Amino acid sequence: MNEINSGYLDEKIDRVKALDFLQYRSADLPTWCPGCGYFGIMDAFYKACRELGLKHEDIVAVSGIGCSGRTPVFIQSYGFHTLHGRSIPVASGLKLSREDLTVFAIAGDGDALGIGGGHLPHVARKNIDITFLLFDNSIYGLTKGQSSSTTPFEQKTNSHPIGNPDTPLNPIKLALSYGASFVARGYAGDPEGLKEIIKAGTLHKGFSFIQILTPCVTFDKENRTWKNLKENVHDLNMDIKEKNMEAAMRAAEEKPFGTGIFFQDADRLHYQDVLRKLNAQRT
């Protein structure tokens, strides 16, 4: 083979390898609005699965209701489209019954922190080995722009036309205070950085909480826009080896938004290991 043909073949192989992540995408076309940040999230997710070498049949994506609820349809894997706010308990039960599977729970800010908010403290304290992806655009998108649990104070929405009267929740502080053993934040506009966070969360043995900042291009023209996010997102640059909860809490309150891993306790036993330890003590 001459050098020209060899170089062409090598380039073609590199292109094919670069597109391997598309094998994790299903044949169904996404139904999200053009320009939605969820496309960037899925790009990061597909690439993370490829680089981790996950088998399609070993992946399960569990979602609730909302724009994020359709996510399992767009992944070439097993999936559940469950009830409003119930992705975490369904994913937890699945992982406890099939520990060999890699389980992702997926929800939006309204789905996860509104009707489903009561499930977060319990999966965190049990430290069940699932990865939770919070698609946070700070508004209800599917139901046409109402205020959600993370909508900024006094922002005008379709449900609060003169301004949101409620103080927004801070997802990172919630996860930290509930005792999640892995807490991170990513950004839909940085698929490469988000990919690395998803990989780290998936490899972590225990409950991984990942908030993902993303815009709603249809119903939010003043807060979570691409322009504002780009101007207010920066690398966190924290040393997670110290397991410094106080530093993580301080960083969670800072703005602009820091992206990266806030806290990780890799030494803590996950729930299945705790159960095995207790059963062994019985004998």
Side-chain angles (χ1 to χ4, degrees):
M1 183 180 296
N2 61 46
E3 291 184 6
I4 295 178
N5 288 338
S6 176
Y8 171 77
L9 182 59
D10 289 342
E11 183 180 343
K12 186 176 181 179
I13 290 173
D14 288 340
R15 287 202 304 268
V16 171
K17 287 182 177 179
L19 294 175
D20 278 348
F21 72 94
L22 291 178
Q23 296 177 3
Y24 291 92
R25 177 177 172 176
S26 73
D28 293 272
L29 294 177
T31 54
W32 299 315
C33 300
C36 179
Y38 290 8
F39 291 98
I41 296 174
M42 295 314 299
D43 179 69
F45 180 85
Y46 298 142
K47 289 179 178 177
C49 289
R50 176 180 67 85
E51 294 186 12
L52 290 172
L54 300 179
K55 296 180 180 179
H56 300 275
E57 63 269 24
D58 293 337
I59 302 171
V60 185
V62 182
S63 70
I65 301 300
C67 292
S68 63
R70 292 277 292 169
T71 303
V73 179
F74 310 132
I75 303 172
Q76 188 66 23
S77 70
Y78 289 108
F80 285 88
H81 188 180
T82 66
L83 302 174
H84 200 188
R86 304 297 181 255
S87 61
I88 285 179
V90 174
S92 298
L94 178 61
K95 184 64 178 183
L96 292 177
S97 62
R98 286 289 304 275
E99 191 174 351
D100 58 308
L101 298 176
T102 300
V103 181
F104 297 93
I106 299 164
D109 41 288
D111 192 29
L113 303 178
I115 189 173
H119 296 298
L120 182 57
H122 300 293
V123 69
R125 71 186 182 93
K126 292 175 184 291
N127 201 31
I128 297 175
D129 188 19
I130 64 174
T131 302
F132 180 53
L133 305 179
L134 172 61
F135 291 25
D136 185 5
N137 60 12
S138 288
I139 205 159
Y140 281 98
L142 187 67
T143 51
K144 314 308 180 192
Q146 298 90 340
S147 302
S148 79
S149 303
T150 59
T151 300
F153 179 63
E154 294 187 339
Q155 178 177 323
K156 295 179 181 179
T157 68
N158 286 345
S159 58
H160 294 112
I162 62 172
N164 175 33
D166 303 325
T167 301
L169 295 177
N170 184 319
I172 297 295
K173 288 182 68 176
L174 282 176
L176 289 169
S177 63
Y178 289 148
S181 57
F182 180 99
V183 180
R185 180 192 286 142
Y187 167 45
D190 178 21
E192 287 300 312
L194 178 57
K195 174 197 68 177
E196 295 301 322
I197 292 173
I198 293 174
K199 285 169 59 180
T202 305
L203 291 172
H204 175 76
K205 294 300 181 182
F207 178 61
S208 299
F209 178 93
I210 303 175
Q211 177 195 16
I212 305 173
L213 302 176
T214 178
C216 178
V217 295
T218 300
F219 293 108
D220 187 349
K221 306 297 184 181
E222 60 175 289
N223 171 38
R224 288 287 174 85
T225 64
W226 282 118
K227 180 179 182 295
N228 288 346
L229 283 172
K230 186 177 181 179
E231 293 173 351
N232 288 282
V233 169
H234 66 93
D235 290 332
L236 192 60
N237 295 323
M238 285 189 66
D239 185 1
I240 60 170
K241 295 179 181 178
E242 296 182 0
K243 301 179 190 174
N244 192 327
M245 179 66 71
E246 182 179 351
M249 279 289 191
R250 285 200 302 269
E253 293 180 340
E254 293 177 356
K255 291 183 180 180
F257 297 110
T259 58
I261 301 173
F262 286 75
F263 182 83
Q264 181 175 15
D265 185 353
D267 298 323
R268 180 181 168 191
L269 292 179
H270 63 82
Y271 198 61
Q272 292 91 325
D273 277 348
V274 171
L275 294 179
R276 279 189 284 269
K277 181 180 178 180
L278 293 174
N279 283 327
Q281 292 174 355
R282 293 173 57 188
T283 59

